[in-house]
Each structure stands twice: as structure tokens, then as C-alpha cells.
């Protein structure tokens, strides 16, 4: 069944920029020599390495163990020899530990046992064992998300893919619809839920028609609006339910999961394959051959840039989408479980103007889908009044969508300012404990 979704107030209209990749089939790109697998690919405690330099490993072998409840296992993406642990830059810019493995190009693979008609507890245990995390960008361990404290009755699948340029989820919906659907069924079974919605923006008519053929879920046709993929906005547009300030989706009886995560769950249960690969979109006018690529965890971005024929006009590199992704320096970076996109943008595609003083036009507030006052938060942050940014500005409700910065004629770095305020407040809260 198909229904028309609601839409939310505010947010922004952003150009989709998906036409160069939306019709391109997923291709596989293998690493050239070494992979660098980060121990920090999820929200929560770092995984702990369980391998040593010189050790031979197989593809799909556990190499780092989840450390605590909110953490995730990490598996080797190739077969070969462990060379050691090196410090490298994470996409966030800070340094982290990476297990370096020399690829022997044999791809000798080990699998977890396949599960046949698993019980809910077996599904959750498999998701944890396979190291599955939210692959839409946040990287929150999926088994924890599927164990909500509040009772839930509705599963909302995020097929919006509202970030410009990115088409990796769309290609999975088109090319692997049966597998994604099975993954959705496993998630619903784990939660004991029959009420399933999949929200898909109207700019993906093929995906809407494909999922409409499954009679155990409702396809919600969503207006193209940014940030439609935000959990709170997606829940409202699909179900009409409102998630209150500072609350989680479960407080409204809902759980949200994304397309790539559903596919990874299918793969872990039916094929016994833990999460060590994913589909990512490589795009922007800074590459001559944009693509949707199936890549192994730990692949150097330089190899992907070369394969997609980066050109001399590329001036900005972003991990993820242009609205919520992270701008990268010229250093080397590596694919992770959350790598949905790699964008090489030209000067035509991103703003190079320096910020100027705020002119109090109010456009950032008009754009904010969380009804915050970004210019005020910016002001409090710049003057070091972080507690005011929290109490008066409501900064902790910010979903970092970037709509404010996108709308600002003065090109103020509002998201960076807001992120700084959030970090300072988190430190202050830690200090109070
Ligand atoms: S303040 Fe936060 S939620 Fe509001 S538009 Fe800016 S980034 Fe988005
Ligand atoms: S949009 Fe920019 S210039 Fe306008 S009020 Fe907000 S911060 Fe100031």
C-alpha cells in the first residue's frame, strides 16, 4: 500500500544533484594492497583489538571486540597478514588506532553460522555479533537501538536519502529490494512489530513502485524536503507522531532504521557475513566518473579517488553528504561502516566566501526544522556562554542538519559554532557528575 506523507514546517530546499549516479549500478572496487581498519567506527566505547602483528587473518574474521554495551565488533575485510596498529586520522579530524592488514588477494573468507527462522533474541544477538551499526552516518550500535526501554509498535524505515548527491541507499532499494525487505522483516520480528512504514522521497519513483509490491509494509511517499531523513521529522511525516524535545523515537512508540543497515542485517543472518563492506556513492564535479561502489572496510580514499578519476577541479573533499558530512583535509582517509559517500566538489559546488557579521535577517531561524534560533546560539557560543546556549538557545536539540548555515547570507559557520557548544556542554555535564 502507498500513502502520501505529511510534511514538516521549515527546513530547506536543496538541489538533489543525484542525476549523475542514480542510474549507475553498484560496482565492486577491491583494495590495492593494504587496508586500514579503524577501531572507532561507531558511537560508544572503542573496540579492543584481538590480533597481533604478523598474524594471518581471513576475511570475515573478528579482529576487534566490542568493549561494553554500547560498542561494536570489527571484522577483517580481506585475508592476509596483520602488520600492526597505526595512528591515523579519523574523518572527524582526530587521530585514532587502525589495524593495518596486508591484502593477500585470496579473499579466503570465514562466515558466521547461517540462521534459519531465528527467534527475536537470536536476531538481536546476531546483529551484535556481526558488528552492525547504523549505516546512515551516526554509527550507533543497532542491537542497542533494537532494545528500546519504552514499548514500541511501529518500525519506520528511512528510504528518504535526503542528502544531496548520495544514491547508495537508492541503488540498494532498486538492485537488492528482496534482500533489503528480508532485513526489514528481521528487524520487525526482533521488535515484535507488525506496523511497518518505509518513507521514500517522491524523487525516487522506481523505489516507491518496487517496495509497493511488498504487502507487509506501507510505502509513505514523501515530499522532497531537507532534512526529511532526520528521525523526528521522518517519524512525523510517516506516522503523524511527534517525538518530544529531548526524547528518543521509542517515546513515540517508534524505531527508525536505514536501508543499508537492513541490508547488512539480511546479509548477517542469511549469509553469515559480518559487517565489513558497504555501498558508498562517489560524486561531485571533481570526479569524471562518479559511481556507486561496494567497498571493503579500511580502503584508502586515494584509491577510490583514482578509480573514479578525480580531476584538477576538485577543491573540497567531503565524507558523507554535503549537508551533514565532514570536510576532509588533504590527508589519507579510509572507508568505515558509516561511509555513505565521498564527494569531490569544485568551486562551483561549494561556497568559498569568508563569513561576515550577522545581519540579523532571521533566515537561519526560518530554516531551522527544530525551531531553534541559530544566530543566538552562535552569539552565545562565540562569547563563551555555553550554558545560555543550552538553556536559552536549546542547542542540545540541534540535529546538526546544516539548514541554518545553508540559508545564511553572511555565510556564518553556524554548524561549527553549534557543534562546539554541544561539545563544551557535554564536557560541563561530565564535570558536574
Ligand atoms: S540549529 Fe541545528 S537543527 Fe537548526 S538548522 Fe541549524 S543545524 Fe539544523
Ligand atoms: S541567517 Fe546568518 S545573517 Fe541571518 S540572522 Fe542568521 S546568522 Fe545572522
Amino acid at each position: 500500500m502507498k500513502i502520501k506523507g505529511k510534511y514538516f514546517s521549515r527546513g530547506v530546499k536543496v538541489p538533489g544533484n543525484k542525476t549523475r549516479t542514480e542510474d549507475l549500478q553498484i560496482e565492486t572496487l577491491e583494495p590495492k594492497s593494504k587496508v586500514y581498519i579503524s577501531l572507532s567506527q561507531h558511537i560508544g566505547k572503542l573496540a579492543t583489538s584481538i590480533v597481533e602483528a604478523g598474524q594471518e587473518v581471513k576475511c570475515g574474521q573478528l579482529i576487534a571486540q566490542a568493549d561494553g554495551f554500547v560498542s561494536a565488533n570489527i571484522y577483517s575485510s580481506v585475508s592476509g597478514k596483520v602488520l600492526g596498529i597505526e595512528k591515523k586520522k579519523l574523518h572527524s579530524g582526530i587521530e585514532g588506532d587502525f589495524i593495518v592488514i596486508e591484502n593477500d588477494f585470496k579473499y579466503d573468507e570465514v562466515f558466521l553460522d547461517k540462521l534459519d527462522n531465528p527467534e527475536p533474541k537470536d536476531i538481536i544477538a546476531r546483529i551484535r555479533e556481526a558488528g552492525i551499526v547504523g549505516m546512515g552516518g551516526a554509527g550507533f550500535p543497532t542491537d542497542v537501538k533494537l532494545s528500546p526501554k519504552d514499548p514500541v509498535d511501529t518500525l519506520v524505515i528511512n528510504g528518504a536519502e535526503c542528502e544531496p548527491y548520495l544514491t547508495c541507499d537508492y541503488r540498494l532499494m532498486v538492485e537488492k529490494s528482496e534482500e533489503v525487505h528480508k532485513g526489514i522483516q528481521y528487524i520487525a520480528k526482533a521488535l515484535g512489530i507488525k506496523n511497518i512504514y518505509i518513507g521514500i522521497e517522491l524523487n525516487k519513483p522506481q523505489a516507491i513502485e518496487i517496495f509497493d509490491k511488498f504487502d507487509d509494509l506501507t510505502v509513505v511517499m514523501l515530499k522532497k524536503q531537507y532534512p526529511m531523513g532526520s528521525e523526528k521529522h521522518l517519524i512525523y511525516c510517516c506516522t503523524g507522531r511527534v517525538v518530544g524535545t529531548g526524547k528518543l523515537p521509542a517515546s513515540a512508540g517508534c524505531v527508525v532504521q536505514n536501508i543499508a543497515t537492513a541490508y547488512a542485517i539480511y546479509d548477517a543472518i542469511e549469509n553469515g557475513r559480518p559487517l565489513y563492506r558497504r555501498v558508498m556513492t562517489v560524486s561531485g564535479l571533481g570526479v569524471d566518473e562518479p559511481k556507486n561502489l561496494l567497498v571493503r572496510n579500511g580502503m584508502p580514499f586515494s584509491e577510490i579517488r583514482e578509480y573514479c578519476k578525480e580531476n584538477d577541479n576538485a577543491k573540497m573533499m567531503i565524507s558523507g553528504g554535503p549537508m551533514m558530512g565532514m570536510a576532509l583535509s588533504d590527508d589519507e582517509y579510509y572507508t568505515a561502516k558509516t561511509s555513505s559517500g565521498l564527494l569531490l566538489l569544485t568551486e562551483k559546488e561549494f561556497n568559498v566566501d569568508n563569513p561576515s557579521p550577522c545581519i540579523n535577517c532571521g533566515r537561519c531561524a526560518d530554516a531551522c526544522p527544530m525551531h531553534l534560533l541559530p544566530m543566538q546560539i552562535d552569539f552565545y557560543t562565540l562569547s563563551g556562554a555555553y550554558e545560555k546556549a543550552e538553556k536559552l538557545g536549546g542547542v542540545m536539540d540541534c540535529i546538526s542538519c546544516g539548514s541554518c548555515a545553508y540559508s545564511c547570507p553572511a555565510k556564518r559557520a553556524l554548524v561549527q559554532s553549534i557543534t562546539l557548544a554541544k561539545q563544551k556542554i557535554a564536557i560541563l555535564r561530565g564535570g558536574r557528575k
Side-chain angles (χ1 to χ4, degrees):
M1 184 174 58
K2 280 187 294 210
I3 60 168
K4 221 170 141 189
K6 294 181 185 299
Y7 52 90
F8 56 89
S9 62
R10 309 199 180 179
V12 283
K13 278 192 185 152
V14 288
N17 290 332
K18 294 179 191 269
T19 49
R20 287 179 84 210
T21 54
E22 65 191 357
D23 294 327
L24 298 179
Q25 284 209 335
I26 298 166
E27 284 178 40
T28 301
L29 177 64
E30 300 291 13
K32 280 188 174 169
S33 59
K34 296 175 200 162
V35 289
Y36 296 76
I37 301 178
S38 166
L39 296 177
S40 171
Q41 302 189 40
H42 50 265
I43 287 178
K45 277 188 89 178
L46 298 188
T48 309
S49 170
I50 55 166
V51 288
E52 291 174 354
Q55 186 178 337
E56 296 287 337
V57 289
K58 299 218 160 137
C59 178
Q61 180 175 330
L62 185 68
I63 54 171
Q65 229 157 16
D67 181 10
F69 181 53
V70 184
S71 186
N73 285 339
I74 293 172
Y75 290 81
S76 179
S77 58
V78 296
S79 57
K81 191 197 278 183
V82 176
L83 299 180
I85 294 184
E86 286 184 21
K87 292 258 182 237
K88 295 272 173 195
K89 247 191 196 176
L90 298 162
H91 299 188
S92 60
I94 57 171
E95 279 201 334
D97 288 334
F98 288 68
I99 298 175
V100 188
I101 302 173
E102 188 161 49
N103 189 1
D104 65 9
F105 301 101
K106 293 181 190 157
Y107 298 107
D108 281 342
E109 193 159 2
V110 284
F111 295 93
L112 306 169
D113 293 337
K114 293 176 189 174
L115 300 181
D116 187 21
N117 197 18
E119 292 298 316
K121 66 173 179 17
D122 303 326
I123 296 171
I124 305 260
R126 171 52 54 93
I127 289 169
R128 179 163 181 83
E129 185 182 15
I132 296 174
V133 302
M135 293 166 73
F140 193 79
T142 302
D143 60 299
V144 180
K145 209 169 167 190
L146 295 185
S147 312
K149 289 192 183 120
D150 295 308
V152 291
D153 62 6
T154 299
L155 172 61
V156 180
I157 299 295
N158 182 0
E161 203 166 46
C162 62
E163 271 273 9
Y165 294 94
L166 301 189
T167 53
C168 48
D169 281 355
Y170 173 67
R171 289 313 306 174
L172 279 176
M173 284 192 277
V174 170
E175 294 180 43
K176 302 284 180 192
S177 59
E178 295 291 340
E179 293 87 342
V180 170
H181 178 240
K182 283 183 183 171
I184 293 170
Q185 287 179 316
Y186 287 124
I187 298 168
K189 188 172 177 183
L191 293 164
I193 279 176
K194 296 239 177 307
N195 201 18
I196 308 171
Y197 295 96
I198 178 165
I200 306 177
E201 283 192 336
L202 283 164
N203 61 350
K204 302 174 189 73
Q206 204 184 341
I208 290 173
E209 290 316 313
I210 289 171
F211 276 83
D212 189 33
K213 72 178 189 237
F214 299 117
D215 55 14
D216 57 349
L217 53 76
T218 301
V219 176
V220 186
M221 297 178 292
L222 300 168
K223 181 180 164 186
K224 187 179 151 355
Q225 193 181 6
Y226 185 85
M228 184 58 86
S230 133
E231 287 195 338
K232 289 186 175 183
H233 298 91
L234 188 70
I235 288 170
Y236 174 72
C237 292
C238 288
T239 70
R241 298 184 192 178
V242 175
V243 180
T245 302
K247 302 267 185 195
L248 293 171
S251 67
C254 296
V255 167
V256 179
Q257 287 292 328
N258 102 318
I259 296 292
T261 312
Y263 181 76
I265 289 170
Y266 150 81
D267 212 11
I269 290 174
E270 299 214 357
N271 300 322
R273 182 177 286 113
L275 179 55
Y276 63 76
R277 59 179 199 175
R278 68 158 297 143
V279 180
M280 76 188 300
T281 300
V282 187
S283 191
L285 294 174
V287 287
D288 292 338
E289 295 186 12
K291 296 190 185 291
N292 296 299
L293 292 177
L294 178 66
V295 290
R296 292 175 190 266
N297 203 338
M299 271 192 67
F301 275 10
S302 55
E303 294 177 17
I304 298 170
R305 291 159 69 182
E306 188 188 335
Y307 184 72
C308 295
K309 304 216 173 353
E310 180 177 347
N311 59 48
D312 292 341
N313 297 323
K315 296 285 184 263
M316 161 82 96
M317 180 162 68
I318 293 176
S319 169
M323 299 297 284
M324 295 187 72
M326 277 176 258
L328 303 175
S329 63
D330 283 340
D331 298 284
E332 183 66 285
Y333 295 88
Y334 307 92
T335 54
K337 295 174 184 178
T338 51
S339 298
S340 54
L342 172 60
L343 304 183
L344 279 306
L345 304 183
T346 63
E347 281 183 16
K348 268 191 206 161
E349 297 172 284
F350 75 97
N351 196 294
V352 288
D353 295 346
N354 287 324
S356 53
C358 172
I359 54 169
N360 280 321
C361 66
R363 283 193 211 168
C364 54
D366 288 344
C368 179
M370 297 305 290
H371 298 253
L372 305 176
L373 297 172
M375 70 296 223
Q376 225 175 56
I377 300 172
D378 186 37
F379 174 76
Y380 290 139
T381 306
L382 294 179
S383 52
Y386 304 116
E387 295 212 340
K388 279 190 180 165
E390 181 182 14
K391 286 189 185 127
L392 304 178
V395 68
M396 298 314 269
D397 282 332
C398 167
I399 55 171
S400 303
C401 69
S403 299
C404 50
Y406 183 80
S407 311
C408 177
K411 305 300 166 206
R412 301 205 49 79
L414 296 170
V415 180
Q416 286 87 332
S417 182
I418 289 165
T419 305
L420 177 66
K422 284 184 189 171
Q423 287 168 346
K424 294 282 185 188
I425 291 162
I427 292 168
L428 282 173
R429 280 184 181 167
R432 278 192 212 111
K433 276 178 194 165

